[in-house]
Amino acid sequence: MSIPAADPKVQYLGRTYRSPVGVVFSHPGVTIRARFRGDAVRVRLDDAGVGDETGTNYFDVVVDGSPPRLLEVRPGESTYPLVSGLEVGVHTVELTKRTESLVGASTLVALEVHGELMEPPLRPVLRMEFVGDSITCGYGTEVSVIPGTPPWRAPTFTSRNQNPRRSYGWLTAAQLGAEAVFICYSGHGIYRNLDMTTSGLVPAIYELAVPDHPHTWDFASESPDVIVLNAGTNDTFAGSGTQAFLPDEGTFKSAYRTFLERLRVLHPRAHIICTLGSMTDGYKRSESNGSVTAVHVGDWISALVTERQRKGDTRVYRHEMRVQDPSVDGIGEDWHPSAATHEKMARGLRLFIQDVVRP
């Protein structure tokens, strides 16, 4: 049986939109679930990745809770077997996108089931959103190396080594028995991106179903219980070699404040956790002619949280993440947190949610 992607028995966790071809998605962690009675499933995907080392989309395939199996997809439309030769009976298959929006969007065209599609599995009661940049996307988490002495260079990005399952967000949600939705894009910030551009900022991406696609997200459909906002790293790191080396406090605060206000309008009951890390705590300094000027984005975030709390918002919090220790836990690609660092981030965040937020 060929089941179109928009069939109500096909379950989606994460942001998508319907196109004339099928259901489009691009964020890492977007999961397609199907429950069926039969012995085999294939999937038809139309993929926008270009197919090279940095532009190939990867998925995890999980059948009946088994360990994930890696699926590499090709540009254009193709059909991929997910599982075959099962004992005839009721089974659940999950297809989870590992790679992020910069690698390319994917479109589910149809599921091909050797058997009968059934009602989808129940979803977790607790729903969490993780909003941010490459750290939240799980950039380079399949790599872990201890940095050498200069001129040693860290390994650079490859899409095969991006895995949100090893990210702090996925791990935190799993430990809490929650559903995790990722809204993230590498290199993007609150008021400026790592490359100093100002298009596609995190607050703008949040409004969309799929980044770089003109389809807004329908916020009326559902609302998260907990939102973890981990953004500001790229605002901090941007500006190398320019007069704008240091982030601007007024501009950052204005953009972050506006975003918090927007999140509260969209999600009146959600717990909003503001954090930063773990590549930096937000401190940055500049030295010129013996004069030192320093700023601290982390302190700005703390001040903004306090500001909202004083205005009566009792469901906004500041959580401080510990900066990574590469000599102990190693690093992922391009100096991003290793899987070991993500585990520590998840442990700290989970304890904070259990002890302070208590959703």
Side-chain angles (χ1 to χ4, degrees), residues 304-338:
L304 289 164
V305 170
T306 300
E307 178 183 292
R308 283 207 61 84
Q309 290 172 341
R310 287 175 176 168
K311 290 181 178 180
D313 190 340
T314 61
R315 293 193 171 208
V316 62
Y317 314 83
R318 175 71 166 102
H319 170 62
E320 295 189 20
M321 286 189 174
R322 186 176 300 176
V323 176
Q324 64 187 6
D325 187 347
S327 65
V328 174
D329 298 316
I331 55 167
E333 291 174 330
D334 289 317
W335 290 89
H336 282 73
S338 66

Side-chain angles (χ1 to χ4, degrees), residues 57-78:
N57 274 312
Y58 289 88
F59 291 79
D60 277 341
V61 180
V62 174
V63 180
D64 296 333
S66 63
R69 176 178 62 83
L70 188 65
L71 173 66
E72 176 181 337
V73 302
R74 300 176 289 274
E77 186 170 327
S78 295

Side-chain angles (χ1 to χ4, degrees), residues 8 44 55 116 126 159 170 178 221 226 255 297 299 308 314 332 353 355:
R44 198 169 351 136
E116 175 190 6
L126 182 64
S159 57
W170 189 286
S221 59
V226 178
V297 173
D299 287 349
R308 283 207 61 84
T314 61
I353 293 172
D355 296 341

Side-chain angles (χ1 to χ4, degrees), residues 22-350:
V23 174
V24 186
F25 55 97
S26 73
H27 282 298
V30 170
T31 297
I32 302 161
R33 283 182 180 167
R35 189 166 165 263
F36 67 99
R37 183 185 300 277
D39 62 1
V41 178
R42 297 184 304 200
V43 64
R44 198 169 351 136
L45 287 172
D46 188 2
D47 197 79
V50 297
D52 60 13
E53 193 175 53
T54 61
T56 297
N57 274 312
Y58 289 88
F59 291 79
D60 277 341
V61 180
V62 174
V63 180
D64 296 333
S66 63
R69 176 178 62 83
L70 188 65
L71 173 66
E72 176 181 337
V73 302
R74 300 176 289 274
E77 186 170 327
S78 295
T79 299
Y80 305 89
L82 299 185
V83 65
S84 62
L86 294 172
E87 182 178 344
V88 175
V90 177
H91 302 280
T92 300
V93 62
E94 298 182 1
L95 185 67
T96 299
K97 191 171 188 285
R98 286 173 50 137
T99 36
E100 64 171 293
S101 299
L102 64 82
V103 179
S106 303
T107 302
L108 177 67
V109 179
L111 288 177
E112 298 178 358
V113 178
H114 192 228
E116 175 190 6
L117 194 64
M118 305 178 69
E119 291 297 324
L122 295 175
R123 295 171 61 181
V125 174
L126 182 64
R127 297 179 182 177
M128 301 181 67
E129 283 186 351
F130 295 89
V131 183
D133 47 44
S134 54
I135 299 172
T136 298
C137 287
Y139 188 112
T141 49
E142 289 294 326
V143 172
S144 182
V145 293
I146 302 295
T149 56
W152 182 89
R153 299 187 66 179
T156 55
F157 177 77
T158 54
S159 57
R160 184 184 183 92
N161 288 322
Q162 186 164 49
N163 187 357
R165 287 182 182 273
R166 305 192 76 176
S167 72
Y168 77 92
W170 189 286
L171 296 172
T172 300
Q175 292 167 12
L176 295 172
E179 177 179 305
V181 172
F182 296 85
I183 304 145
C184 53
Y185 207 122
S186 290
H188 290 237
I190 292 293
Y191 89 93
R192 64 178 185 175
N193 299 321
L194 185 61
D195 62 3
M196 294 293 287
T197 60
T198 56
S199 62
L201 295 166
V202 172
I205 289 171
Y206 192 79
E207 301 290 330
L208 302 174
V210 174
D212 307 318
H213 290 227
H215 293 267
T216 56
W217 177 245
D218 179 13
F219 290 102
S221 59
E222 57 188 42
S223 193
D225 301 295
V226 178
I227 301 170
V228 179
L229 174 58
N230 185 353
T233 296
N234 290 305
D235 302 85
T236 304
F237 286 158
S240 178
T242 74
Q243 291 185 338
F245 177 76
L246 296 179
D248 181 75
E249 181 176 2
T251 310
F252 178 88
K253 282 186 172 181
S254 177
Y256 201 102
R257 180 185 293 114
T258 299
F259 190 33
L260 284 182
E261 291 170 351
R262 176 64 173 157
L263 289 175
R264 182 52 72 217
V265 169
L266 293 170
H267 311 293
R269 300 294 300 165
H271 298 274
I272 303 172
I273 301 169
C274 301
T275 189
L276 184 67
S278 62
M279 296 177 73
T280 178
D281 63 357
Y283 177 78
K284 195 175 185 183
R285 66 193 295 271
S286 176
E287 185 172 352
S288 177
N289 299 322
S291 176
V292 175
T293 306
V295 299
H296 203 304
V297 173
D299 287 349
W300 299 346
I301 294 172
S302 297
L304 289 164
V305 170
T306 300
E307 178 183 292
R308 283 207 61 84
Q309 290 172 341
R310 287 175 176 168
K311 290 181 178 180
D313 190 340
T314 61
R315 293 193 171 208
V316 62
Y317 314 83
R318 175 71 166 102
H319 170 62
E320 295 189 20
M321 286 189 174
R322 186 176 300 176
V323 176
Q324 64 187 6
D325 187 347
S327 65
V328 174
D329 298 316
I331 55 167
E333 291 174 330
D334 289 317
W335 290 89
H336 282 73
S338 66
T341 300
H342 275 281
E343 289 173 5
K344 291 182 176 180
M345 295 162 68
R347 188 180 308 119
L349 180 58
R350 187 254 302 166

